[in-house]
Amino acid sequence: MKPFISVVFAAIAALSCSGLAQAPATSAESPEIRDLQKVEDSWSSALNQRDQYGLELVLSPLFVNVSATGEVTTRNQQVAGLLSEPDKTAATDMHVVTVRMLGDVAVANGTYSFTHKGTSGQVEEKGVFTHVFQRQHGNWVCLNAQRTLLREDTPGKTAKTKAKSQSKAELPFHIPLFSKGDKTTGPTTPNAPNQ
């Protein structure tokens, strides 16, 4: 009887999970990416136009955001921040790269750019995001967002960093006592023959 119950439970588990987890969609022509890109475009548009209602339509009431700086905010904090944002030129653009479908949940990964006023003029920050969406009443709403800022080296620092990191070794790796440049000129150990 035990083997029969095990087989039944395994079959139920297989049937309930079939179709839930799929390989990620990576083609821009895939319907998953097209659908979620529309949601991302609506989100960007709401942010860029300071549209409270548009933002509320895209974000779930359970929404949690982790910014590129590590700040955690809720949907209400995002809406309040949007309305009190002093920089009216700030603009966001998001592009979906992959989507993984898990039934009524989708995980979208992509790139974003955020242009805003900095202390020395316009600044463009670029990064990657992971957004978790849930289908509710036929529409996708974002439950969770995580952003990571991509570090960009300034041209002057890049050359200095490369100069410091370049190896002076003639070989790909250096083995003491076996490479050409390791001739000892100092004192030798008492048991070693003098050269």
Side-chain angles (χ1 to χ4, degrees):
M1 186 70 174
K2 275 188 176 182
F4 177 74
I5 293 173
S6 297
V7 170
V8 170
F9 280 124
I12 291 171
L15 288 174
S16 65
C17 291
S18 65
L20 287 182
Q22 300 173 355
T26 56
S27 169
E29 291 84 33
S30 73
E32 296 89 0
I33 289 184
R34 276 198 315 265
D35 288 348
L36 288 175
Q37 185 61 57
K38 287 178 187 175
V39 178
E40 297 287 355
D41 291 343
S42 297
W43 191 347
S44 295
S45 178
L47 291 172
N48 297 339
Q49 296 174 5
R50 314 301 179 261
D51 179 8
Q52 174 184 352
Y53 181 68
L55 189 59
E56 289 173 345
L57 285 176
V58 176
L59 303 181
S60 165
L62 304 173
F63 177 75
V64 174
N65 180 66
V66 181
S67 73
T69 59
E71 181 182 356
V72 179
T73 54
T74 64
R75 172 184 164 182
N76 291 343
Q77 291 170 320
Q78 287 283 309
V79 170
L82 176 73
L83 298 176
S84 65
E85 174 64 44
D87 183 4
K88 301 301 181 200
T89 64
T92 302
D93 188 32
M94 297 181 271
H95 296 281
V96 177
V97 177
T98 65
V99 172
R100 183 175 299 264
M101 300 299 293
L102 305 163
D104 283 340
V105 174
V107 179
N109 293 301
T111 60
Y112 73 92
S113 66
F114 176 57
T115 308
H116 61 94
K117 287 182 185 175
T119 55
S120 60
Q122 276 307 89
V123 176
E124 182 180 23
E125 297 176 1
K126 293 183 178 188
V128 294
F129 66 80
T130 300
H131 292 162
V132 179
F133 291 93
Q134 181 181 25
R135 192 185 331 252
Q136 294 179 352
H137 309 293
N139 296 319
W140 290 104
V141 292
C142 189
L143 292 171
N144 196 318
Q146 167 81 46
R147 289 183 173 77
T148 303
L149 189 64
L150 296 177
R151 195 180 105 207
E152 293 185 29
D153 293 328
T154 57
K157 289 184 178 180
T158 306
K160 290 178 186 176
T161 306
K162 285 183 181 176
K164 286 182 183 179
S165 66
Q166 287 180 349
S167 173
K168 304 279 190 242
E170 294 178 27
L171 301 174
F173 57 92
H174 183 77
I175 302 174
L177 303 175
F178 292 108
S179 66
K180 293 190 275 183
D182 279 346
K183 302 295 181 199
T184 55
T185 56
T188 59
T189 58
N191 295 337
N194 289 337
Q195 296 178 359

Coordinates of all heavy atoms in Angstrom, one line a residue, residues 152-160:
E152 N 30.7 52.3 -13.1 CA 31.4 52.8 -14.3 C 32.6 53.5 -13.9 O 32.6 54.4 -13.0 CB 30.5 53.7 -15.1 CG 29.3 53.0 -15.7 CD 28.5 54.0 -16.6 OE1 29.1 54.9 -17.2 OE2 27.3 53.7 -16.7
D153 N 33.8 53.1 -14.4 CA 35.0 53.7 -14.1 C 35.1 55.0 -15.0 O 34.8 55.0 -16.1 CB 36.2 52.8 -14.5 CG 36.2 51.6 -13.6 OD1 35.8 51.8 -12.4 OD2 36.7 50.5 -14.0
T154 N 35.7 56.0 -14.4 CA 36.0 57.3 -15.1 C 37.2 57.1 -15.9 O 38.1 56.3 -15.6 CB 36.2 58.5 -14.1 OG1 37.2 58.1 -13.3 CG2 34.9 58.7 -13.4
P155 N 37.3 57.7 -17.1 CA 38.4 57.5 -18.0 C 39.8 57.7 -17.3 O 40.7 56.9 -17.6 CB 38.2 58.5 -19.1 CG 36.8 58.8 -19.1 CD 36.4 58.7 -17.7
G156 N 40.0 58.7 -16.5 CA 41.3 58.9 -15.9 C 41.6 57.8 -14.9 O 42.8 57.3 -14.8
K157 N 40.7 57.3 -14.1 CA 40.9 56.2 -13.2 C 41.1 54.9 -13.8 O 41.9 54.1 -13.4 CB 39.7 56.1 -12.2 CG 39.6 57.3 -11.3 CD 38.5 57.1 -10.3 CE 38.4 58.2 -9.3 NZ 37.4 58.0 -8.3
T158 N 40.5 54.7 -15.0 CA 40.7 53.4 -15.7 C 42.1 53.2 -16.1 O 42.6 52.1 -15.9 CB 39.7 53.4 -16.9 OG1 38.4 53.7 -16.5 CG2 39.8 52.0 -17.6
A159 N 42.7 54.2 -16.7 CA 44.1 54.0 -17.1 C 45.0 53.8 -15.9 O 46.0 53.0 -16.0 CB 44.6 55.3 -17.9
K160 N 44.8 54.5 -14.8 CA 45.6 54.3 -13.6 C 45.4 52.9 -13.0 O 46.4 52.2 -12.7 CB 45.3 55.3 -12.5 CG 45.7 56.7 -12.9 CD 45.3 57.7 -11.8 CE 45.6 59.1 -12.2 NZ 45.1 60.0 -11.1

